[in-house]
Amino acid sequence: MGYHTQSGRVVLVGAGPGAADLLTIRAVRAMSAADVVVHDGLVGDEVMALLPATARRISVAKQRARHSLPQAQIGALLVKEALAGNTVIRLKGGDPFIFGRGGEEVDACVAAGVPVEVIPGISAANGAAAALLLPLTHRDHASTVSFVAGECRGLAQQDWAGLAGKGRTLVIYMGIAGAGPIAEKLMADGLAPDTPVAVVERATQPGQRLVTSLLADLAGLVAREAIRSPALIIVGEVVAGSVARPALAKDIACLAC
Ligand code: SAH
């Protein structure tokens, strides 16, 4: 810190799954001090509206197959703005350290000697679970839960059977485009074709949807229902509990619309 004459800093803020009232108080406080906001595509208008009108906004929105700003450049941008003396708020969907590449941004700040702080956010899985009354662990159904990226390096090598199956809940982020191959891999790794699955689209946001089926039908479900990102896939017996109360789950989905 002492090397710089101005006192800029970077705060990675978890913006949660969408609804602004799911931000932490700490996140809202940090946001109110923003000189510069660097945000990605998952952060919605309701959250952006809480930023000071004076804050300069920079979008680094990424979409599948269209990377508008490479990760290294995002790190360099945060560092540059902080070294210029700004309080830089890096707003990230969900939690910064769950598939948010927050680690790489922290590394960039540390390497440059820029003070950096991380404020946790409600990850999509937690937001979805609460909104849909779908517990991720349950004394009767699951004592372990795994968060997995459906698109990442080394996916094919992963032992999916170790992550899903009896007594286990698997939550797949970024899995919609690859739903078919993911279901096939799970079954090839030994998971029963009739394992319950849920797909949660736009959890906690307007238009939130829950659809359920069985593993063998996952790709069909995604196609029939025209599921769009952002959406999560949840695999395991905990889903059966929510299937047992479909009317309730539907009502909840509509209430959020
Ligand atoms: N850091 C984020 C995840 C970023 S990866 C978090 O903790 O939630 C992006 C993926 O998150 C999306 O492809 C989708 O699978 C999931 N996701 C994010 N917001 C979501 C939402 N509101 N509803 C369902 N899935 C969501």
Side-chain angles (χ1 to χ4, degrees), residues 17 42 93-95 98-100 123-124 173-174 200 202-203 205 229-232:
L42 280 175
D95 181 83
I98 299 286
F99 307 129
S123 195
Y173 289 65
M174 298 173 280
V200 187
R202 305 184 65 84
Q205 300 173 5
S229 188
L232 290 175

Side-chain angles (χ1 to χ4, degrees), residues 45-84:
D45 296 343
E46 206 185 320
V47 170
M48 296 297 291
L50 297 177
L51 291 160
T54 50
R56 186 152 47 89
R57 292 146 198 241
I58 304 173
S59 168
V60 289
K62 268 180 257 174
Q63 282 176 3
R64 207 171 159 269
R66 187 184 67 85
H67 293 261
S68 63
L69 205 55
Q71 188 61 40
Q73 284 182 36
I74 297 176
L77 172 68
L78 299 176
V79 165
K80 185 188 86 176
E81 293 291 352
L83 290 179

